Amino acid sequence: HESENMRSEGLMSTKSTSGFLAPCKPGDSWAVPVYPIITVEGERTSHMILISPSIKLQELYLEACKLVGVVPVSYFLRNMEEPYMNLNHHGLGPQGAKAIAIALVSNTTITHLELEDNWILAEGVMCLVQMLRENCYIQELVFNFPPSSNTLEHGNNFREETAQYFAEALVGNYRVKELDLSHNEFSEKGGEHLGQMLVVISLLSLEVNGTLKILDLSWNGFGNEGALALGEALKLNNILVQLDISSNHINNEGAGKLAKGLEVNGNLKILKLSHNPLTVEGAIALVTSIRKNPKSKMEEINISNVLVNGSFLKLLDVVCQVHPELDVIYGEVRGFISKKPEQRPDPMTLIQNYLDERKLRLWDFFRNMDKNGSMKIPVAEFRKAMMQQSRIPLDRAQIGELVHKLDRHRTGMVDYR
């Protein structure tokens, strides 16, 4: 069937002595076995390579580089058998990305692929999309590049039309667990495409094992329309665990649209929304959505630039009584700046005094939370247990301070050794 399609499209090739399909002109005959292929469109003709199981990956990559006219990346050649592949800042361009994509179609060892700052453009993305349809081993993809203070342009220049290609690729690939597309230029239309992607993945997950757990779409300028699409997606998607949409021009209206999805979503644990033009009204909408959702598993909402007020804090206290694992990271509290901060007892001192009075060790206090005895506890579990314990009276703020002390580097694990 594939050969018939190729014949109808004028994509004819013959087998070369090296085991690949050599580029040919239309009109030649097709007389070779069909294996997974990637097309590399030239200006006038289409070139095709047969990826035979007997061909070594290094040979395949070198042949692909020759075909598209690029210099092979020596680092890629040396590390093709390693699970982690870092090709950041290699200046691949769209043609170099094509060569990499051809080589990765049949690669079974690379599970983590980074392609930051390579100016891949939509042309290179199209080949990577074709590769992802065949490759079921890659689990983590990173395409972002945070701009530095002394450079104007970086990254891969993915614009809104490129988002559709990624959406199509991920709908057909059920192995990718983590995708980082931050610091691109998808805009509102791109947000809609990726939102639709989450919906389709959700529906497909009823029949296949959906795996996309972590999605980073920060610094893309989605705006409120993108937030609407993502909010609708969250109503159906029960696969995603972490979503980062920081710095996307999402205001209170967009937060309200996201909140509609959060009211029913039962799987998302981390939502990052910092550096969006939100006010306390948007913050209240987000926290209220968790209050309305008894199935919510939310552990962290990051709105670190938002100024909040006393009403927000009261609401958060109420919500945390039902969802004790929830942590909302916000900015300053309005109306409290000129007042002297309330002096609370140091939570670690309170715990130590409690232990000393009863001649107990620290482990004695934490062991009910520490199920495997490692002296390390996931932050969400620790926060929940501390909120629910009654031996030492600690409020939400004190527990937050305690978590900060015991997890200074924000590893997600409380270490009380």
Side-chain angles (χ1 to χ4, degrees), residues 290-301:
I290 306 303
R291 185 182 187 181
K292 293 180 178 179
N293 184 0
K295 299 185 300 179
S296 178
K297 294 183 180 178
M298 190 68 72
E299 297 175 1
E300 178 184 315
I301 299 177

Side-chain angles (χ1 to χ4, degrees), residues 96-274:
K98 288 180 183 180
I100 295 292
I102 290 170
L104 289 178
V105 166
S106 57
N107 185 284
T108 60
T109 57
I110 296 173
T111 59
H112 181 111
L113 175 63
E114 296 194 10
L115 290 166
E116 299 176 9
D117 188 31
N118 276 294
W119 210 250
I120 290 173
L121 307 179
E123 185 180 358
V125 169
M126 290 178 68
C127 270
L128 291 169
V129 164
Q130 292 183 59
M131 177 271 292
L132 287 173
R133 289 172 179 163
E134 299 290 345
N135 185 305
C136 61
Y137 294 91
I138 293 177
Q139 299 178 11
E140 298 179 40
L141 284 169
V142 179
F143 289 96
N144 77 319
F145 185 76
S148 66
S149 58
N150 59 353
T151 311
L152 293 178
E153 291 185 331
H154 289 294
N156 289 302
N157 199 31
F158 296 155
R159 299 183 183 275
E160 62 182 37
E161 65 272 14
T162 317
Q164 183 174 359
Y165 302 145
F166 278 114
E168 291 172 356
L170 291 169
V171 166
N173 184 301
Y174 310 116
R175 295 283 181 173
V176 175
K177 295 180 179 179
E178 182 173 347
L179 178 63
D180 187 342
L181 292 172
S182 60
H183 293 86
N184 285 290
E185 301 175 34
F186 288 138
S187 73
E188 292 186 353
K189 194 65 177 178
E192 292 178 29
H193 285 310
L194 292 165
Q196 292 164 7
M197 168 198 75
L198 293 178
V199 173
V200 175
I201 288 176
S202 303
L203 295 175
L204 289 174
S205 69
L206 297 175
E207 300 178 3
V208 299
N209 181 24
T211 58
L212 184 61
K213 305 286 187 183
I214 301 174
L215 182 59
D216 187 345
L217 300 173
S218 58
W219 295 87
N220 273 297
F222 284 163
N224 293 333
E225 291 305 312
L228 171 62
L230 292 172
E232 291 298 312
L234 289 174
K235 291 180 181 179
L236 293 174
N237 186 288
N238 279 307
I239 304 166
L240 204 64
V241 173
Q242 178 173 321
L243 176 62
D244 190 344
I245 47 177
S246 305
S247 301
N248 270 297
H249 304 154
I250 297 171
N251 59 25
N252 291 341
E253 179 187 351
K257 294 173 179 178
L258 277 171
K260 295 296 182 184
L262 297 177
E263 288 178 9
V264 296
N265 184 279
N267 210 61
L268 193 67
K269 293 183 178 180
I270 299 175
L271 175 63
K272 298 184 179 182
L273 264 168
S274 63

